[in-house]
Amino acid sequence: MAHENGKQTKHRFLTFEYLMNRHARVNSTPRSSISAPLIALYGGIAGEALWLASYPFDVVKSKMQSDGFGTEMRYGSMRACFRQVWREEGGARG
């Protein structure tokens, strides 16, 4: 669990740093001049980007952990689980 959190934190900070550096570059200003509300906004965007990217994997992990065994098993692999969840619960509707 701690290893997963470490990877998530790394990606969140990479996104935050990218947004901060991009703002400074586009506006030709030092990072230290970025306002507190913008810093908070970039932190929020980084957090949301993390969850948008990791939530589908978390759903699949939870479904596979609660899956049955033998004849009760619904998912043969992680890929099969993604496909089935996408078709039954995800964006493949319409």
Side-chain angles (χ1 to χ4, degrees), residues 38-89:
L38 276 176
I39 292 171
L41 175 67
Y42 295 153
I45 291 170
E48 286 300 315
L50 167 73
W51 280 109
L52 285 172
S54 65
Y55 189 73
F57 292 98
D58 193 51
V59 168
V60 168
K61 175 194 67 134
S62 295
K63 288 190 174 288
M64 291 190 76
Q65 285 175 335
S66 63
D67 197 13
F69 293 99
T71 58
E72 302 287 320
M73 189 164 58
R74 294 183 62 200
Y75 313 109
S77 68
M78 188 173 184
R79 179 178 284 176
C81 185
F82 263 111
R83 254 188 260 122
Q84 189 170 338
V85 169
W86 181 262
R87 272 192 240 119
E88 294 175 4
E89 303 172 27

